[in-house]
Amino acid sequence: MGTEFNNPYPFIEPLAIKNLTKKKIENYKLAMEEKRLKKTKLNSYPYRLVIDPTNACNLRCPLCPTGLKKSLRKKSLMNLNFFKKIIDELEDYCIEAHLYNWGESTIHKNLIDMIKYCSEKNIWSKISTNFSLNYREGYIYDLMNSGLSVIHIDVDGIGQEVYAKYRIRGNYDLVIKNIKEAVKVKKQNKLKYPIIELAMLAMRQNEHQHSEFLKLKDYLGVDFVNIDKIQHNPNMDEGWLPKNKKLIYSTYKTGKADSHSSTENEIKQCHWPWSAIVVNPDGGINPCCIIDDPSSDFQNANNKSIFEIWNSKEYVSARSEFSDKSEISTNTICNVCKNRTHSPKMPRVSKSFAIKL
C-alpha cells in the first residue's frame, strides 16, 4: 500500500500522514533523532501503538501460536476503560494505532467503540481481520462508519480448498460475502475511509493463484490488494514457503527479499524500542509484535503509566543492546533477539514464528 505514496516519514503509514499535528510531528522527529543517536533514556514517546483487543481467534492457522493453541498468554478480552486509558495517555504523540496482534479483533464486542475513540482522538487506526465470521445484522455497516482508517483482510487462497489449507476453520465464501458487503456500504455511504485492503500471504499452496488474486481489486472493488511475505519458524517444515525466492525475506536462508531484521553475522539496529509499544489484552507490555510470551513483558500498564514503562529498566536495557551495553541491567527479550527475528537460534512458541525468552 505504501508504494503508491511518496512518504516523507519513514516508519509511518503513508495514509496516516493526514492525522499529523505539530506536536506529533515534533515528537516523531525527536524519536527519530534519539534513535539515530541510540539514546537509551528517551524524551520522545511512542508514535505507534499496537493494542490487541483480544488474543482469541476463531481460526486455527498452523503458523500462529493462537491457531496452534500453544500461546503462552491466557486468552482474554481487553477492558474498554483500560483501552481508553492507554489512548488518553498517548493521544498527543500516537500517530497510528493497530488494533490487532494475536487475535481476531472483530470478536471483541467493544471493537467499534475502540475505533470510534481513536477517531475522536485523531489517531489513525487499522484492524487486520480474517473476516470469516457471521456478523450480526448491521455490524459491517457500523464497522465501516466507525472512523476506522484501514481494514486489512487476509485472503490466503482463492476457493475453499486452497484458502482452508492455511486458514483452517475459515469459510472462503463467507469472507467474500463480507468483503462485498463492506464495499457496498462504503460506496453507498460515499465513504473515503476505511481503506479496504486485501492481502495474501505468499505460500507454496497459493503461489499459482497470485495473478488471479491481484485481479480481485477490480472484481470486488476494494482499494488495494497485496502479496505479503510470510514470517515463519525457520526450524520447521519449509513446505509452506513459496518457490519464488523474491517472496521470502533475505534473512531466511533461501530468501532474496529486503528485510529489516539482522542476519547472524551483522548488527542492525531495531527501530521498535524507539518507535512503538505493544499492549496485550491483559495489560502486559511487549517491545514488538512478534512476541507471545508473558514472561517477556516489560511490566504491565494496569499498574504503571506508559510513560513510566517507556523509560523503565527493561526498555533502557533493550535499547542498550544497540548502544552502550553497560546500561543493560536486566536480560530482556530484545537482548536475546538482537533484531535477529528470523534466526533459527531464537526460542519460539511451539511451531510458530512467535519468539519467547
Side-chain angles (χ1 to χ4, degrees), residues 209-228:
Q209 296 182 329
H210 290 179
S211 295
E212 186 180 357
F213 172 73
L214 295 174
K215 294 176 183 177
L216 289 183
K217 179 180 184 296
D218 294 330
Y219 173 70
L220 294 174
V222 299
D223 298 293
F224 295 99
V225 292
N226 296 323
I227 304 292
D228 288 343

Side-chain angles (χ1 to χ4, degrees), residues 136-172:
R136 64 166 171 80
E137 186 175 353
Y139 179 85
I140 292 178
Y141 176 90
D142 293 341
L143 180 64
M144 297 298 290
N145 283 278
S146 63
L148 181 65
S149 303
V150 175
I151 178 170
H152 173 108
I153 304 166
D154 295 302
V155 187
D156 296 320
I158 296 177
Q160 182 66 19
E161 182 180 358
V162 176
Y163 171 78
K165 286 182 179 179
Y166 185 70
R167 297 290 167 179
I168 296 172
R169 292 174 53 172
N171 185 323
Y172 177 80

Side-chain angles (χ1 to χ4, degrees), residues 209-324:
Q209 296 182 329
H210 290 179
S211 295
E212 186 180 357
F213 172 73
L214 295 174
K215 294 176 183 177
L216 289 183
K217 179 180 184 296
D218 294 330
Y219 173 70
L220 294 174
V222 299
D223 298 293
F224 295 99
V225 292
N226 296 323
I227 304 292
D228 288 343
K229 291 173 285 295
I230 196 167
Q231 296 198 77
H232 74 105
N233 184 333
N235 297 305
M236 65 173 290
D237 177 16
E238 295 191 351
W240 292 98
L241 296 181
K243 294 180 180 179
N244 185 350
K245 298 185 188 310
K246 294 180 180 179
L247 294 175
I248 303 172
Y249 288 113
S250 59
T251 32
Y252 292 121
K253 63 181 181 180
T254 59
K256 292 187 177 180
D258 290 341
S259 175
H260 290 298
S261 298
S262 301
T263 64
E264 296 291 339
N265 301 314
E266 67 178 338
I267 299 175
K268 186 184 292 185
Q269 185 181 5
C270 179
H271 70 87
W272 278 89
W274 287 267
S275 65
I277 198 162
V278 178
V279 186
N280 290 288
D282 60 2
I285 299 297
N286 288 137
C288 85
C289 65
I290 68 166
I291 300 164
D292 186 19
D293 174 20
S295 68
S296 300
D297 288 353
F298 285 15
Q299 305 189 33
N300 191 293
N302 279 296
N303 307 318
K304 292 188 176 181
S305 73
I306 294 296
F307 305 124
E308 291 177 286
I309 297 171
W310 191 234
N311 278 315
S312 64
K313 65 178 182 179
E314 289 85 0
Y315 262 106
V316 170
S317 295
R319 296 180 188 117
S320 297
E321 183 62 41
F322 307 98
S323 183
D324 182 359

Side-chain angles (χ1 to χ4, degrees), residues 2-263:
T3 58
E4 298 190 18
F5 295 83
N6 181 18
N7 185 6
Y9 301 98
F11 302 111
I12 293 177
E13 291 276 357
L15 292 173
I17 291 175
K18 66 182 180 63
N19 294 84
L20 291 177
T21 63
K22 181 180 178 182
K23 193 167 186 177
K24 290 182 180 183
I25 292 172
E26 290 173 349
N27 178 71
Y28 166 80
K29 289 182 176 179
L30 178 59
M32 293 295 287
E33 180 64 7
E34 289 182 324
K35 174 181 175 288
R36 186 185 71 81
L37 296 173
K38 299 182 178 179
K39 295 282 189 180
T40 58
K41 298 181 179 71
L42 307 184
N43 291 312
S44 61
Y45 297 110
Y47 54 83
R48 182 188 299 106
L49 171 65
V50 177
I51 185 164
D52 202 2
T54 180
N55 58 342
C57 187
N58 56 311
L59 302 190
R60 293 290 180 262
C61 303
L63 299 183
C64 171
T66 306
L68 289 166
K69 300 185 75 173
K70 297 293 185 180
S71 178
L72 302 176
R73 193 180 301 274
K74 184 179 178 181
K75 293 291 174 280
S76 61
L77 297 168
M78 182 174 286
N79 178 274
L80 179 58
N81 289 330
F82 173 76
F83 176 89
K84 290 181 176 180
K85 167 193 175 293
I86 299 298
I87 297 299
D88 288 346
E89 289 182 7
L90 289 175
E91 65 174 300
D92 288 338
Y93 312 101
C94 181
I95 298 168
E96 53 189 69
H98 299 251
L99 277 58
Y100 60 93
N101 198 23
W102 293 118
E104 171 51 50
S105 301
T106 62
I107 288 175
H108 201 299
K109 66 178 183 179
N110 296 127
L111 176 65
I112 290 173
D113 293 324
M114 293 174 173
I115 295 167
K116 286 181 177 178
Y117 200 69
C118 288
S119 181
E120 291 169 9
K121 298 292 185 175
N122 187 38
I123 296 174
W124 179 95
S125 62
K126 177 181 180 179
I127 66 167
S128 178
T129 174
N130 59 59
F131 230 29
S132 185
L133 286 164
N134 280 302
Y135 298 109
R136 64 166 171 80
E137 186 175 353
Y139 179 85
I140 292 178
Y141 176 90
D142 293 341
L143 180 64
M144 297 298 290
N145 283 278
S146 63
L148 181 65
S149 303
V150 175
I151 178 170
H152 173 108
I153 304 166
D154 295 302
V155 187
D156 296 320
I158 296 177
Q160 182 66 19
E161 182 180 358
V162 176
Y163 171 78
K165 286 182 179 179
Y166 185 70
R167 297 290 167 179
I168 296 172
R169 292 174 53 172
N171 185 323
Y172 177 80
D173 290 338
L174 179 58
V175 175
I176 298 301
K177 174 180 174 290
N178 288 336
I179 293 170
K180 288 180 177 179
E181 179 65 20
V183 171
K184 178 182 175 182
V185 170
K186 183 173 180 178
K187 288 182 177 178
Q188 287 184 344
N189 291 270
K190 299 180 180 179
L191 300 173
K192 187 174 181 180
Y193 299 101
I195 297 298
I196 303 174
E197 176 184 55
L198 308 188
M200 175 179 278
L201 284 172
M203 291 183 277
R204 186 74 56 87
Q205 75 276 8
N206 63 32
E207 194 167 10
H208 65 289
Q209 296 182 329
H210 290 179
S211 295
E212 186 180 357
F213 172 73
L214 295 174
K215 294 176 183 177
L216 289 183
K217 179 180 184 296
D218 294 330
Y219 173 70
L220 294 174
V222 299
D223 298 293
F224 295 99
V225 292
N226 296 323
I227 304 292
D228 288 343
K229 291 173 285 295
I230 196 167
Q231 296 198 77
H232 74 105
N233 184 333
N235 297 305
M236 65 173 290
D237 177 16
E238 295 191 351
W240 292 98
L241 296 181
K243 294 180 180 179
N244 185 350
K245 298 185 188 310
K246 294 180 180 179
L247 294 175
I248 303 172
Y249 288 113
S250 59
T251 32
Y252 292 121
K253 63 181 181 180
T254 59
K256 292 187 177 180
D258 290 341
S259 175
H260 290 298
S261 298
S262 301
T263 64

